[in-house]
Amino acid sequence: GNSVTQMEGPVTLSEEAFLTINCTYTATGYPSLFWYVQYPGEGLQLLLKATKADDKGSNKGFEATYRKETTSFHLEKGSVQVSDSAVYFCALSENTGNQFYFGTGTSLTVIP
Amino acid sequence: GAGVSQSPSNKVTEKGKDVELRCDPISGHTALYWYRQSLGQGLEFLIYFQGNSAPDKSGLPSDRFSAERTGGSVSTLTIQRTQQEDSAVYLCASSLFFTGTGPYEQYFGPGTRLTVT
């Protein structure tokens, strides 16, 4: 079956620290991978995506590389800001349909 | 519309009552999804529609939950005889329907916060 596992939070970092949020997946086919972000009081929105192996998704200084050999899609940012405080969700969708599978979310708090 | 809208934004109900939650997707989006987000939990998939049909109802937690979509647009999620464990944020998302070039981004609504007392 399909599933996503992401690191448990909460994560607290100081401003300008390096961020990694781990995400691994299990899929029966060749999925597309996504990171969604939910800022406080707002709805989920797409942060970045990658549709095939070795693709790198990037947005707002965040990056994630689709690693088929390790079935991973870890989210990274070199220097976090207070405004990055949010809950981050890793997700996958098979390229044969419309079903999405989400991880449990990782809460990030960045302190000045 | 400009985005996915959901109503009501908040609903407080007594245990045993029925509730209806509404989702209005982005115009032209033929796929519509319902999720549940409980406190401290991730997103739990409930059901999705392609057009007016729901090919996957496997996520509905019990037979007290049902959903329909009419006219390929608005969807209603109904919870009968609500229980306290139904308290959660119910999220709706819509997307273009997959056409073989890869899954499309889901656009989420702001959610309905349901509290069962």
Side-chain angles (χ1 to χ4, degrees):
Chain A
N2 299 312
S3 66
V4 174
T5 302
Q6 60 182 107
M7 66 184 284
E8 300 225 358
V11 174
T12 302
L13 294 174
S14 297
E15 204 165 23
E16 299 183 3
F18 184 85
L19 168 72
T20 300
I21 301 178
N22 289 338
C23 172
T24 58
Y25 68 89
T26 301
T28 53
Y30 303 95
S32 291
L33 302 173
F34 305 80
W35 277 101
Y36 278 80
V37 59
Q38 186 175 31
Y39 297 105
E42 298 184 15
L44 274 81
Q45 54 188 275
L46 180 67
L47 179 60
L48 53 84
K49 69 178 181 181
T51 57
K52 61 182 187 297
D54 300 325
D55 271 2
K56 177 185 286 187
S58 61
N59 186 25
K60 299 182 180 179
F62 290 88
E63 293 183 341
T65 301
Y66 188 161
R67 302 285 189 201
K68 187 177 177 183
E69 63 275 14
T70 54
T71 61
S72 65
F73 193 54
H74 304 322
L75 182 68
E76 296 182 337
K77 187 174 185 181
S79 175
V80 292
Q81 306 300 312
V82 172
S83 58
D84 294 327
S85 298
V87 181
Y88 293 81
F89 293 88
C90 186
L92 75 81
S93 182
E94 291 280 10
N95 285 334
T96 55
N98 287 275
Q99 170 67 291
F100 275 69
Y101 301 84
F102 283 84
T104 54
T106 301
S107 175
L108 170 66
T109 301
V110 180
I111 55 177
Chain B
V4 178
S5 60
Q6 293 186 245
S7 61
S9 55
N10 278 285
K11 176 71 176 179
V12 180
T13 190
E14 293 180 353
K15 177 181 173 181
K17 301 282 190 182
D18 298 352
V19 295
E20 282 190 354
L21 312 180
R22 176 189 167 105
C23 172
D24 200 343
I26 292 173
S27 178
H29 281 190
T30 52
L32 185 148
Y33 306 78
W34 284 99
Y35 297 90
R36 180 167 70 176
Q37 187 177 23
S38 302
L39 187 63
Q41 304 293 316
L43 269 68
E44 176 187 4
F45 167 78
L46 298 179
I47 189 170
Y48 92 89
F49 290 88
Q50 42 187 77
N52 292 334
S53 64
D56 187 351
K57 302 181 181 179
S58 61
L60 293 176
S62 74
D63 58 8
R64 296 185 295 105
F65 287 72
S66 63
E68 66 175 13
R69 188 179 187 196
T70 55
S73 182
V74 172
S75 176
T76 302
L77 177 69
T78 301
I79 309 174
Q80 296 178 308
R81 305 181 302 282
T82 52
Q83 304 294 313
Q84 288 187 330
E85 61 263 28
D86 299 334
S87 296
V89 176
Y90 289 82
L91 295 171
C92 175
S94 71
S95 75
L96 295 172
F97 186 64
F98 173 80
T99 58
T101 58
Y104 291 105
E105 173 186 355
Q106 293 192 351
Y107 293 81
F108 282 82
T112 294
R113 182 175 297 278
L114 174 66
T115 304
V116 182
T117 61

